[in-house]
Amino acid sequence: MPRVVVISPPFLSHAQPLSVLAGALARAGADVSFACAPPFARLAEEAGTAFVPLTVSRNANTGVARSTRQGARESERLEEFLGSTREGAIATLLTQSRHRGEDMLADPERVLAEVRGLQERLAPDWFVADQLSYPVTLALHCLGLPFATFCPGHPTYLPHAPEALFGVPYAWPRAVRPAARELAELRRAASDNDLAFTERFAAVARRHAPEAPAPGRAFALASRRAVVFNYPEFPWLPKHPPSGARFLHGGHCVFPEEQGPGDAWERVLGRLASGGRRVVLIALGTFLSARDDVLATLVRGVRSRVPDAAVVVAAGEAAPRLARYAGPLVHVARTVPQRWLLGRVDAMVHHGGNNSFTECVASATPALVLPFSSDQFAIAHDAERARLGTCLNPATLTEEEAGAAVRRLLDHVPEGLPRWSEALRRRGPHWTAGRLLDAMGSPAGSG
């Protein structure tokens, strides 16, 4: 029985799928510990694994970003990020680029010491590391410990070519097409980050592991045994160069049967869906639920253009401000049981986050995608190209176009949804766990 430690950053959108994978590994026969910040201990309990407290980032998001306790500088960056989303795609990506060093590579020496301590206490056979937890990957590299990489976002988060830059979408949806000069500015900022991260990786490695191979390009550092993409294997995705690693497109990280949220939510959904009414879920993720202006536009648009439909809104801290829309056909909640609701609702509006996207495809739920940041533009592009839904620009969104887009999704199932939903159902965490155990059990060098 291999002993495995799954390390997650303290963000619900990362910890949730990683805990599901940890549970699948445990059910496949591994002795698994889930390592994350203390507020996420419940995820290990739900997954049926041991829990190890480990905090690998100053930032945190336990479910609603604005209400998560964190330092003043982290809160300041969050507000700057949210403000930039009102200006559009390039402004947001440039803000994220400026924040990248503080967000993603804080305290690499402390994290290295923590990972060394984990190894000494638990003596795992191998680790699973979140690809965006760069200090963890660097620590595992420096310590020469075997690990698998879990990519929580779009597969191009792991650069596939020298010209591919982390933070620059590989493709854009039709509704969001930046000007050439804006793209050039973004590429310069991303290139500067690429160099800065690589130099910092090299400096840490020289101090702590001078005998180890040089880490090379920081954003491309990943396992040489197995890389898991929590994403469909679309044929047009850029191919990663051979590295000796097995690239596993697990498709999604949702168990076939999601635990019910209780009688209260059963009653809510029963009320909304009574009389054969169609139900639309609106959820913009744990960070972007703060954009209550967009949520309000969506609610008004759906209610005006699809008056026979009911709406569930995940509003985060904006729930009190959106309470005026609540009524017989609109349910406003701070958080919602999204994975349980999917498959029970008729359409979803989301932000293009990886979890929302893959969960919609796996549950065959048509989606309107509103990309704001990060890899959401690439995901929105893939959703369009695979004919899984439609995309609009949240920076210019109107009630009329939002309502019309949702009506089209309700009236006509997107052409590609049956095919890709079936493909994803054949994979998932059980499929991924089995192949990951096989890949990590084969002889290979560390990492």
Side-chain angles (χ1 to χ4, degrees):
M1 176 185 294
R3 187 177 292 118
V4 182
V5 174
V6 177
I7 301 178
S8 173
F11 301 99
L12 184 63
S13 57
H14 295 238
Q16 191 164 267
L18 274 166
S19 70
V20 170
L21 178 59
L25 287 167
R27 277 181 280 279
D31 178 3
V32 183
S33 294
F34 181 67
C36 194
F40 295 90
R42 65 174 178 82
L43 293 180
E45 182 179 355
E46 292 170 5
T49 73
F51 179 74
V52 180
L54 177 69
T55 302
V56 298
S57 171
R58 292 174 185 165
N59 293 342
N61 182 353
T62 58
V64 177
R66 268 185 166 166
S67 62
T68 300
R69 290 187 61 185
Q70 49 196 339
R73 177 58 184 150
E74 286 68 39
S75 296
E76 180 183 323
R77 291 202 305 277
L78 173 59
E79 294 306 316
E80 186 180 348
F81 161 72
L82 291 171
S84 70
T85 65
R86 300 175 186 276
E87 301 176 42
I90 296 298
T92 303
L93 292 170
L94 285 171
T95 297
Q96 291 184 294
S97 184
R98 288 195 301 274
H99 293 172
R100 196 137 282 146
E102 290 179 274
D103 285 344
M104 292 181 149
L105 197 54
D107 303 325
E109 272 95 355
R110 178 189 63 78
V111 173
L112 193 150
E114 295 270 11
V115 172
R116 180 187 286 115
L118 268 184
Q119 172 65 22
E120 292 171 352
R121 292 196 312 276
L122 302 178
D125 296 295
W126 46 277
F127 293 80
V128 177
D130 186 300
Q131 186 254 340
L132 297 187
S133 286
Y134 295 108
V136 174
T137 298
L138 178 58
L140 293 166
H141 171 84
C142 289
L143 295 169
L145 299 175
F147 70 97
T149 294
F150 178 86
C151 185
H154 194 273
T156 53
Y157 263 167
L158 188 63
H160 57 277
E163 67 276 10
L165 294 168
F166 183 89
V168 179
Y170 92 107
W172 297 83
R174 288 188 295 270
V176 185
R177 292 296 172 92
R181 59 175 180 77
E182 293 179 313
L183 282 173
E185 182 182 6
L186 179 61
R187 287 192 63 84
R188 285 193 295 272
S191 180
D192 289 345
N193 269 332
D194 195 287
L195 292 172
F197 268 61
T198 297
E199 289 171 1
R200 196 164 179 201
F201 265 42
V204 171
R206 283 194 299 270
R207 281 195 301 273
H208 296 278
E211 72 290 348
R217 189 181 181 191
F219 291 121
L221 184 61
S223 173
R224 298 196 302 275
R225 289 190 178 189
V227 176
V228 174
F229 296 116
N230 186 34
Y231 205 75
E233 194 171 6
F234 294 127
W236 59 81
L237 291 173
K239 300 300 182 186
H240 289 84
S243 64
R246 287 177 62 179
F247 294 106
L248 306 173
H249 281 262
H252 68 93
C253 262
V254 182
F255 285 125
E257 293 298 325
E258 183 68 20
Q259 185 175 355
D263 292 342
W265 270 104
E266 293 277 7
R267 288 192 296 272
V268 166
L269 193 61
R271 169 175 59 84
L272 295 174
S274 62
R277 214 179 281 119
R278 295 176 292 184
V279 182
V280 178
L281 171 61
I282 299 174
L284 300 182
T286 55
F287 284 94
L288 292 160
S289 61
R291 287 298 306 274
D292 56 296
D293 57 328
V294 177
L295 292 175
T297 297
L298 288 165
V299 173
R300 292 194 300 266
V302 173
R303 293 297 303 124
S304 65
R305 295 298 297 267
V306 200
D308 58 331
V311 180
V312 177
V313 187
E317 283 202 330
R321 298 191 293 279
L322 292 174
R324 67 184 184 275
Y325 297 106
L329 297 184
V330 178
H331 182 78
V332 178
R334 186 172 178 272
T335 61
V336 303
Q338 177 172 304
R339 293 185 298 185
W340 178 81
L341 284 169
L342 288 172
R344 293 169 173 85
V345 300
D346 299 280
M348 182 179 180
V349 183
H350 65 75
H351 59 304
N354 188 77
N355 292 336
S356 294
F357 170 64
T358 57
E359 289 166 12
C360 277
V361 179
S363 62
T365 306
L368 168 59
V369 185
L370 306 177
F372 290 81
S373 65
S374 309
D375 60 340
Q376 295 161 21
F377 306 101
I379 290 172
H381 164 272
D382 291 345
E384 283 188 333
R385 185 163 179 176
R387 299 181 182 178
L388 299 169
T390 190
C391 171
L392 294 175
N393 187 345
T396 60
L397 187 70
T398 67
E399 294 177 25
E400 291 74 15
E401 64 179 355
V406 170
R407 174 169 281 285
R408 286 193 297 273
L409 289 172
L410 292 172
D411 291 344
H412 305 284
V413 173
E415 183 180 337
L417 196 54
R419 171 197 171 190
W420 284 107
S421 179
E422 177 61 28
L424 260 66
R425 287 173 185 164
R426 290 197 297 266
R427 296 202 177 185
H430 175 74
W431 181 94
T432 303
R435 281 152 183 78
L436 187 54
L437 286 168
D438 179 64
M440 295 304 292
S442 58
S446 62

